[in-house]
Amino acid sequence: MSRQIARSAAVAAALGTALALSACASPSASSAPSSTDTLLPAAEGAVSYPLALDTPFGETTLDERPERIAIITASTVDTDALIALGGLPVFAPSTIERNPWLDEDTVAGIDDLWESEAGQDVSAEAIAASDPDLIINLAAYETFDQGRFDKLSAIAPILYAPAEELTWQELTRTLGETLDLAETAEKAVEDAEDSVAATREAHPEFAGRTAAHVIVYPEEWGAYYASHTGADTAALFDELGFDLPPAAAEFSEEDVVAGELVGMIDADFLLLSTFGTDSEYFLESDLVANVPVVRDGRVIVDDADPATGINSFAWGLNVQSPLSVPWLIDQLAAFGAESLD
């Protein structure tokens, strides 16, 4: 699976605007671990503490196995990974409430959810109030520099990696190794990958068919070709056996699909994901209506939640984890099957 892609300034701003429309969106039940009376499962006995944690800003040390974990990454990737290991943070971003692959009881079991949006930092004072013995900042888009490291490392040791450095598999394994849950982490990764493989096997009709994904943000930001070469959706299409149309190589993450570019979104299967509450400018455009895949009825419109403006699939592309990836693959397979039926 691909690394998380860096979003353009316009897309990031649009995402932040949409996330601000609601304090939370109600998650639906899934097979994610339920809340338990303990914050971490029993140690596997393979790690010796003290354990040094290296970062580009310096080293911090875990004197003993942590129990109270504070997560300061708004994207929720590391929160998901901890839950996949059977753990539960005491401090986590409120954006976790937007993850439909999580069980409601799990989310309710987190002591403190800090109000978060994409790219937003949480105050050191709020982190300290949760009394953590480990701060996790993996796959972070938030501002992080020497000054912030010095301030936060005075509260608790820091497990850190910048955005795009780790795949979701590597992130999960890194977390598992730190918490003496390496075998559990490997099982979580294998289970997710097995789920993806099973979904692909169930849909042989996708092989050799082309697929494209466009995320339609409010008109101020425009529509973006989300399955350009190297993008997260492109990787998901590949996992399912789809091919990218030749036009995918012509787009970058910063290209707005407008005017003469609209005709290039054609494919055997087209997914249009709306984000926010203003999508008519694109969906009802004559240019879009004349694209063959749309004209032939092979387009799937995946609408955002009308109350929040959040599109769960588009949001999930930024939250790839052992829990979200099987959900994303199943959603995409269902969309593809409906389109090609």
Side-chain angles (χ1 to χ4, degrees):
M1 199 66 64
S2 69
R3 299 175 185 271
Q4 287 192 316
I5 58 172
R7 304 185 65 80
S8 68
V11 176
L15 179 60
T17 300
L19 295 181
L21 293 175
S22 173
C24 67
S26 297
S28 59
S30 78
S31 58
S34 299
S35 176
T36 64
D37 293 332
T38 57
L39 295 172
L40 278 182
E44 294 170 355
V47 176
S48 297
Y49 300 92
L51 179 67
L53 304 178
D54 292 323
T55 81
F57 311 102
E59 182 181 280
T60 58
T61 302
L62 272 172
D63 291 328
E64 57 186 8
R65 188 176 189 245
E67 292 184 358
R68 297 183 59 82
I69 296 173
I71 299 180
I72 62 173
T73 313
S75 72
T76 82
V77 175
D78 33 20
T79 309
D80 261 20
L82 178 60
I83 292 172
L85 299 184
L88 204 64
V90 295
F91 187 78
S94 63
T95 37
I96 197 71
E97 296 180 305
R98 300 185 174 97
N99 295 358
W101 47 86
L102 292 183
D103 183 272
E104 291 181 355
D105 291 340
T106 300
V107 176
I110 300 174
D111 288 347
D112 190 4
L113 296 179
W114 57 276
E115 188 172 344
S116 56
E117 295 177 14
Q120 179 180 323
D121 290 336
V122 57
S123 73
E125 292 75 17
I127 298 169
S130 69
D131 190 27
D133 45 27
L134 175 64
I135 296 171
I136 294 179
N137 193 42
L138 296 173
Y141 288 96
E142 292 77 357
T143 303
F144 206 92
D145 54 21
Q146 189 66 53
R148 186 153 173 80
F149 172 83
D150 292 342
K151 181 178 289 188
L152 297 188
S153 61
I155 299 171
I158 299 173
L159 181 62
Y160 171 85
E164 301 184 81
E165 181 172 283
L166 304 176
T167 65
W168 65 266
Q169 295 98 326
E170 291 168 342
L171 186 152
T172 303
R173 292 176 178 125
T174 296
L175 186 57
E177 290 164 1
T178 304
L179 301 178
D180 197 10
L181 293 172
E183 291 184 5
T184 302
E186 193 62 38
K187 180 67 162 52
V189 169
E190 290 176 357
D191 285 349
E193 292 179 337
D194 288 347
S195 178
V196 170
T199 301
R200 174 173 179 152
E201 186 176 351
H203 292 280
E205 73 274 19
F206 296 161
R209 308 298 292 273
T210 60
H213 180 212
V214 173
I215 301 178
V216 184
Y217 292 93
E219 189 169 9
E220 177 184 4
W221 306 109
Y224 287 77
Y225 195 92
S227 54
H228 59 84
T229 303
D232 288 324
T233 313
L236 294 175
F237 281 146
D238 181 67
E239 292 283 2
L240 286 173
F242 283 109
D243 292 332
L244 296 182
E250 303 299 318
F251 283 96
S252 75
E253 61 182 334
E254 298 180 357
D255 289 333
V256 177
V257 182
E260 68 278 5
L261 297 180
V262 170
M264 296 174 66
I265 67 176
D266 193 32
D268 293 325
F269 155 46
L270 173 63
L271 174 64
L272 297 179
S273 297
T274 68
F275 216 120
T277 56
D278 172 22
S279 58
E280 291 82 3
Y281 75 94
F282 190 85
L283 299 183
E284 298 178 5
S285 162
D286 289 340
L287 289 174
V288 173
N290 286 321
V291 176
V293 65
V294 178
R295 189 177 60 238
D296 297 344
R298 288 177 283 107
V299 60
I300 299 297
V301 178
D302 172 33
D303 284 319
D305 185 319
T308 67
I310 303 298
N311 182 292
S312 293
F313 183 81
W315 163 254
L317 292 173
N318 299 285
V319 191
Q320 294 202 25
S321 74
L323 302 180
S324 67
V325 166
W327 183 89
L328 287 165
I329 282 287
D330 286 347
Q331 291 290 305
L332 194 57
F335 293 143
E338 182 180 352
S339 169
L340 298 176
D341 184 11

